[in-house]
Amino acid sequence: MKNGDRIPLKAKDTLRLSNLSYCIPSQALVNRVEVKAYLFKNGVESYENGLFTSSNFPINANCHNIGNFQKSWKLEPGQHRVNIPIVKYVGSNRIVDNTFYFILDVGQ
């Protein structure tokens, strides 16, 4: 699936985030990256439904596969959005890239 995709699912389906590919450009001076995923039910931004990864990877200019998300979501009817902010640290500066998302259309 790609950024911004719409995904049709059914209620009680289980959604597991297993692998995310993220690329760091060669000119970036990133020294740490954190990845979290949040399920926003019916357009309500609540940060209680988060998935977190314990993945560690070297910070270099390259593409990385980020995985090991520890939980999954049981889906309810409605339209939901999954937001995956990627937090990059450049020295002590924290930069949040929250432009990666997808939409879930969950039927009955």
Side-chain angles (χ1 to χ4, degrees), residues 4-84:
D5 276 356
R6 294 184 83 83
I7 304 161
L9 297 166
K10 291 185 247 169
K12 298 184 182 173
D13 280 351
T14 300
L15 179 66
R16 182 172 185 274
L17 189 59
S18 61
N19 198 10
L20 175 73
S21 181
Y22 185 72
C23 298
I24 298 172
S26 60
Q27 65 273 21
L29 301 172
V30 176
N31 57 344
R32 187 169 63 131
V33 173
E34 295 174 357
V35 178
K36 300 175 183 180
Y38 296 99
L39 175 66
F40 298 147
K41 295 180 182 180
N42 294 314
V44 177
E45 287 194 22
S46 167
Y47 292 90
E48 62 190 38
N49 293 313
L51 300 180
F52 310 100
T53 181
S54 59
S55 290
N56 293 313
F57 51 91
I59 302 304
N60 54 20
N62 207 339
C63 292
H64 303 278
N65 286 323
I66 303 165
N68 259 352
F69 288 89
Q70 297 171 342
K71 295 187 329 185
S72 59
W73 291 304
K74 190 66 107 178
L75 299 175
E76 300 171 7
Q79 188 181 74
H80 311 310
R81 177 182 168 116
V82 174
N83 191 32
I84 305 175

Side-chain angles (χ1 to χ4, degrees), residues 84-105:
I84 305 175
I86 298 173
V87 182
K88 300 176 275 190
Y89 291 86
V90 178
S92 61
N93 295 323
R94 184 175 185 248
I95 302 164
V96 179
D97 178 359
N98 61 0
T99 59
F100 189 84
Y101 71 93
F102 51 94
I103 303 293
L104 308 176
D105 292 315

